[in-house]
Amino acid sequence: MLLGTCKRKSNAPFEILIIHDGEISNEFKLLGKTYSWNRKQKSVQFFLVGKLLFFISKFWLMLHQQYILYRLRGISLVFLNTITTGKIQKELLFLRCKFICYVHEMDAAIEIATTAADLEIVLTNTDLFLACSHAVKNNLILNHQIKGEHISVLNTSLTDTLREKSGYKQSIAKFKKEKNISAEATIIGIAGNSEWRKGVDLFVPLVIVYFNLFPVSESTYFVWKGFDKSSDLYYFNSFDYKKFDKGNFTILLPHDNDPMSAMAFFDIHLLLSREDPYPLVVLEAASFGIPTVCFADGGGSPEFIESDCGYVVPYCDLVKMAERIHHLVEDKALRISMGLNAQRKVQARHSAENAMPAFMKILDENA
């Protein structure tokens, strides 16, 4: 999104360096000259031949990386799209240019995705940090001793800030028919990876708390879209559902190539994340006019939700979360009103037209 905007709105030349080849490598190549730092290596089964080719491939990879550094020697500004790129930034320090780092991570993600040594390279050699939320900025100040004047908060932009559920009528009807859900039922949905940071272990306890508090909620369903059915967690959660007599009101769905079709059948978006810097999924839900319920102190989501686009409850307070969810289940008018507020807000704050000028100004000032 950022690179596409740069290409459309600026005449400044740029080149792209990706750390690994991946599914979207070709999309980068459509935007401009693209280098891959770690190219895919072919595996060889025969031991002696394989060992020889391994050393040859390592040598060629080293030459390939030196070639990239040679080609980048005239660069005046490096934009790092994550704080976890210290290993690459170390290689680029010879450029003597400015470094801007766009930070989308908080401490748990940083701990998982990088090392202390690589993180230190980014912290000590970056001229300006862009934070995707005030929560991320505060984390950089409090836990990583970055001065506030070296950090700017830059709103995340969304390609499509206005989606209509009416365009997904067929997929919604198909889902409800397959799952034997009535047309009037309320669906509370989560969309995301089933991992600790996303609060996957809180999902079953929340469902149990909800139905214990509100046992007559027979037309309320909890759905997690993006659950990895090959993981142990799927077995463990399914095991708990079978023990819980309301288990048929919880549905685990795997990833697919059309996540928006799943989000379209949510009535309430639920965010159980322990740590989420500024999740796009909240903005995507808002684009459909769906309010969100989340935890306080779990990242940047409360900055968007505020008091008019859903509810923010105390961290990991499942009782309070269940109560707020039920309030939205029972009060359809409020649910719709908060959803429309969210839809208007995402258009005002996160469309490319509104969010990108600030980004372009930052680039121009530091080029």
Side-chain angles (χ1 to χ4, degrees):
M1 183 65 186
L2 291 175
L3 290 176
T5 302
C6 285
K7 186 173 183 178
R8 293 193 307 272
K9 296 183 178 290
S10 174
N11 294 321
F14 64 85
E15 298 183 55
I16 305 163
L17 176 60
I18 56 178
I19 297 176
H20 295 282
D21 287 319
E23 294 179 359
I24 62 173
S25 296
N26 289 333
E27 295 182 31
F28 284 112
K29 292 173 184 176
L30 292 174
L31 295 173
K33 178 64 178 175
T34 301
Y35 305 98
S36 177
W37 185 256
N38 292 307
R39 296 191 298 186
K40 291 181 180 178
Q41 304 296 310
K42 293 182 179 180
S43 60
V44 180
Q45 300 300 321
F46 299 103
F47 178 72
L48 292 177
V49 175
K51 195 169 184 178
L52 176 61
L53 288 181
F54 172 77
F55 285 111
I56 292 174
S57 65
K58 290 283 285 185
F59 175 73
W60 279 110
L61 179 61
M62 181 187 71
L63 290 181
H64 167 73
Q65 291 173 346
Q66 290 302 311
Y67 168 75
I68 291 174
L69 297 178
Y70 172 76
R71 290 300 303 265
L72 296 178
R73 66 194 185 282
I75 294 294
S76 60
L77 173 65
V78 173
F79 180 82
L80 306 166
N81 198 37
T82 166
I83 202 172
T84 65
T85 51
K87 192 179 294 294
I88 296 297
Q89 188 174 2
K90 182 179 180 181
E91 300 288 343
L92 299 175
L93 292 178
F94 79 96
L95 294 172
R96 306 290 183 184
C97 66
K98 286 189 175 181
F99 287 89
I100 297 176
C101 182
Y102 196 10
V103 185
H104 312 263
E105 300 87 4
M106 296 179 71
D107 274 354
I110 291 171
E111 178 71 21
I112 293 167
T114 191
T115 66
D118 289 340
L119 176 63
E120 187 62 22
I121 290 170
V122 180
L123 297 177
T124 56
N125 292 284
T126 298
D127 299 280
L128 175 66
F129 292 89
L130 304 180
C132 67
S133 67
H134 289 281
V136 170
K137 178 178 179 177
N138 292 338
N139 182 60
L140 290 172
I141 294 171
L142 296 175
N143 295 327
H144 300 286
Q145 292 72 55
I146 302 299
K147 294 182 179 179
E149 57 265 31
H150 293 158
I151 310 169
S152 295
V153 176
L154 181 68
N155 283 338
T156 300
S157 61
L158 198 64
T159 303
D160 192 346
T161 57
L162 180 61
R163 296 182 173 94
E164 298 294 340
K165 286 194 174 189
S166 58
Y168 296 84
K169 277 185 177 179
Q170 289 185 343
S171 60
I172 294 171
K174 180 182 178 183
F175 170 76
K176 289 188 174 181
K177 183 178 180 181
E178 288 176 349
K179 302 301 180 183
N180 196 28
I181 298 174
S182 70
E184 296 76 26
T186 304
I187 296 177
I188 298 101
I190 295 177
N193 295 329
S194 50
E195 60 183 63
W196 175 84
R197 283 195 316 116
K198 301 292 186 180
V200 64
D201 55 315
L202 301 175
F203 187 51
V204 175
L206 173 65
V207 172
I208 293 172
V209 167
Y210 184 87
F211 284 109
N212 282 339
L213 287 174
F214 311 106
V216 297
S217 301
E218 297 294 330
S219 60
T220 303
Y221 290 78
F222 287 80
V223 176
W224 189 306
K225 174 65 177 179
F227 219 96
D228 182 2
K229 290 196 172 186
S230 66
S231 71
D232 290 339
L233 286 171
Y234 180 76
Y235 172 80
F236 297 149
N237 281 274
S238 298
F239 186 91
D240 285 340
Y241 298 152
K242 292 174 184 177
K243 299 289 186 181
F244 180 51
D245 63 1
K246 297 291 185 182
N248 56 319
F249 290 94
T250 57
I251 300 169
L252 303 181
L253 299 174
H255 287 288
D256 60 29
N257 295 323
D258 191 11
M260 292 300 104
S261 290
M263 183 169 285
F265 58 69
F266 294 176
D267 296 296
I268 301 166
H269 175 236
L270 176 60
L271 196 72
L272 286 173
S273 295
R274 289 181 168 88
E275 178 187 277
D276 230 329
Y278 202 83
L280 277 176
V281 69
V282 173
L283 306 183
E284 289 166 344
S287 73
F288 277 110
I290 303 169
T292 294
V293 181
C294 77
F295 291 131
D297 301 317
S301 297
E303 297 170 29
F304 178 83
I305 297 168
E306 296 173 315
S307 61
D308 61 344
C309 299
Y311 289 117
V312 179
V313 305
Y315 184 79
C316 285
D317 188 335
L318 299 185
V319 172
K320 182 62 71 175
M321 179 165 274
E323 290 172 347
R324 288 305 194 185
I325 290 170
H326 189 64
H327 190 191
L328 290 175
V329 170
E330 292 291 290
D331 193 338
K332 185 176 180 180
L334 177 64
R335 188 169 76 229
I336 292 172
S337 174
M338 284 187 161
L340 290 175
N341 290 339
Q343 197 172 55
R344 286 190 287 265
K345 191 181 294 186
V346 77
Q347 290 177 277
R349 296 185 186 179
H350 298 285
S351 67
E353 292 75 14
N354 293 330
M356 283 299 108
F359 174 65
M360 299 306 300
K361 181 180 179 182
I362 289 170
L363 293 187
D364 289 340
E365 290 175 347
N366 288 275

